[in-house]
Amino acid sequence: MRDAADRLHYLDEVMDLLFPSSRPGARPGVRSVLPHRLLPRRVVPRAWWHTALGRGLPVGGGTDTIETHLSDVLGRRMRVVVHVRPVRRANRKPILEAYDESGLAGFVKIGDSPRARRLVRYESEVLRMLAGRPLKVVVPPDLLYHGEWRGLEVLMLSPLPVTSRRVGSRRVPAPLLTSAAREIAAIRPHGEETGSGEAAWHGDFTPWNVAAGADGRLLVWDWERFAVGVPLGFDALHHFFHRALRRMPPPVAARACLAQAGGLLEPFGVDVARARRTAVHYLVALAERHRRDGHEPLGPPAVWLNPLVDHLESLL
């Protein structure tokens, strides 16, 4: 119940941003919360059969909404479905599905806070860079539109051809993950060389951000954490660690990440000693990211990280 209440409170804030009223007394539009208000997941245009799900969600009836903005910049009538996001996330932002007459046209990210605006703007830069790279294994989304509307960053991405109904519900073959991580590691945004042993990484190479494509390539989205200058193998460790977190508490997952580092990084030509150092660097870098974000989803590092690395200072 508390999660639903928090989501609905944030949803009210989001809908006010996306569908503002342009004048007092304007007639509101009506949306539906699906599957219902006690389990809010999506907000969709109201249909007649939604009456069985409960009362609708009134939204502003102004003439300048996210739908009219997208319609104007894309040159065709657009309607959006709003995903109800968890409120306790460092990179929280409204995510929309955008539809035109032919169906799903893309996904839209809205930068509604200083941090979210920076992430959305940066992802647009990364996707522009990737569009000029001859990638053979990795398939990122196409950037369809990036601009500013009412002080918000708006980024629209092409939908990727996911074959599974649930992203992350099917294991991607390990060789494909390795090939994709290796290709990402070789990306140099401006052609510059990094230091010896340094690489690029996607930054959030998790099971829910990747999927095997029908053509044998790897579909990869959410590039807002892409960075260069890290040890080779960070993406492989990040993927393993977040799969482990689905089955075990953070301290155990962190120990597993260190224990399995040698095997995980062997396909990258990294020896066991260096792999263990890389795993420690990765876990410390992740904790530092959480600290900068002001959000610790794994709990305090003193609980899940320090007991593991305090006696491994020689590896740092």
Side-chain angles (χ1 to χ4, degrees):
M1 288 293 290
R2 181 60 189 172
D3 179 67
D6 289 344
R7 284 174 180 251
L8 286 172
H9 179 74
Y10 178 57
L11 175 62
D12 288 339
E13 297 177 358
V14 169
M15 299 307 285
D16 287 343
L17 285 175
L18 301 181
F19 296 91
S21 295
S22 58
R23 61 189 186 278
R27 182 179 179 181
V30 180
R31 304 270 159 160
S32 296
V33 179
L34 300 180
H36 52 74
R37 289 185 65 83
L38 295 181
L39 191 66
R41 290 292 180 264
R42 294 177 297 143
V43 179
V44 304
R46 189 77 167 172
W48 66 268
W49 56 271
H50 292 167
T51 55
L53 303 174
R55 65 183 178 87
L57 177 71
V59 299
T63 57
D64 185 15
T65 70
I66 189 61
E67 288 183 335
T68 60
H69 175 68
L70 292 174
S71 298
D72 289 343
V73 297
L74 297 173
R76 58 191 189 275
R77 187 170 183 262
M78 305 297 296
R79 290 291 178 263
V80 301
V81 169
V82 181
H83 287 251
V84 183
R85 309 290 286 173
V87 294
R88 300 183 185 92
R89 294 184 63 181
N91 60 347
R92 177 192 69 182
K93 66 184 73 67
I95 304 292
L96 321 177
E97 296 174 10
Y99 291 85
D100 58 18
E101 292 183 355
S102 62
L104 181 63
F107 292 91
V108 181
K109 296 186 176 185
I110 305 292
D112 63 340
S113 69
R115 178 183 291 111
R117 283 193 287 272
R118 287 194 300 270
L119 291 172
V120 168
R121 192 180 307 119
Y122 180 67
E123 184 169 12
S124 73
E125 297 170 359
V126 172
L127 291 176
R128 287 191 183 95
M129 178 271 295
L130 293 175
R133 297 294 187 278
L135 301 175
K136 298 180 180 179
V137 181
V138 173
V139 183
D142 294 327
L143 191 156
L144 301 180
Y145 167 72
H146 173 239
E148 186 174 313
W149 170 74
R150 299 179 67 92
L152 306 173
E153 292 283 334
V154 181
L155 174 64
M156 184 169 172
L157 313 173
S158 66
L160 293 178
V162 178
T163 55
S164 174
R165 293 186 63 184
R166 289 187 58 198
V167 174
S169 62
R170 297 176 60 185
R171 287 281 297 273
V172 176
L176 179 57
L177 287 172
T178 299
S179 296
R182 185 182 292 116
E183 185 170 67
I184 293 170
I187 294 173
R188 299 295 179 267
H190 306 292
E192 73 274 13
E193 290 297 324
T194 60
S196 177
E198 292 186 338
W201 72 312
H202 173 273
D204 201 11
F205 199 69
T206 55
W208 50 90
N209 282 337
V210 302
D215 61 357
R217 295 186 294 170
L218 189 70
L219 314 177
V220 185
W221 45 94
D222 283 352
W223 290 81
E224 60 193 27
R225 299 287 192 174
F226 175 83
V228 296
V230 302
L232 180 62
F234 262 32
D235 274 331
L237 294 166
H238 192 77
H239 191 275
F240 173 87
F241 184 53
H242 283 78
R243 273 204 305 116
L245 286 170
R246 290 178 163 181
R247 310 185 306 273
M248 57 189 73
V252 181
R255 290 198 298 271
C257 185
L258 179 61
Q260 298 297 322
L264 290 169
L265 301 192
E266 183 180 8
F268 299 87
V270 177
D271 62 50
V272 173
R274 187 169 144 214
R276 286 173 59 83
R277 289 195 298 272
T278 299
V280 173
H281 285 171
Y282 159 71
L283 293 170
V284 171
L286 187 63
E288 175 60 17
R289 174 193 291 182
H290 294 165
R291 185 197 64 79
R292 291 195 309 268
D293 287 343
H295 179 63
E296 296 181 336
L298 306 181
V303 175
W304 71 269
L305 178 61
N306 292 9
L308 178 68
V309 301
D310 281 351
H311 66 287
L312 297 174
E313 292 182 2
S314 60
L315 295 180
L316 299 174

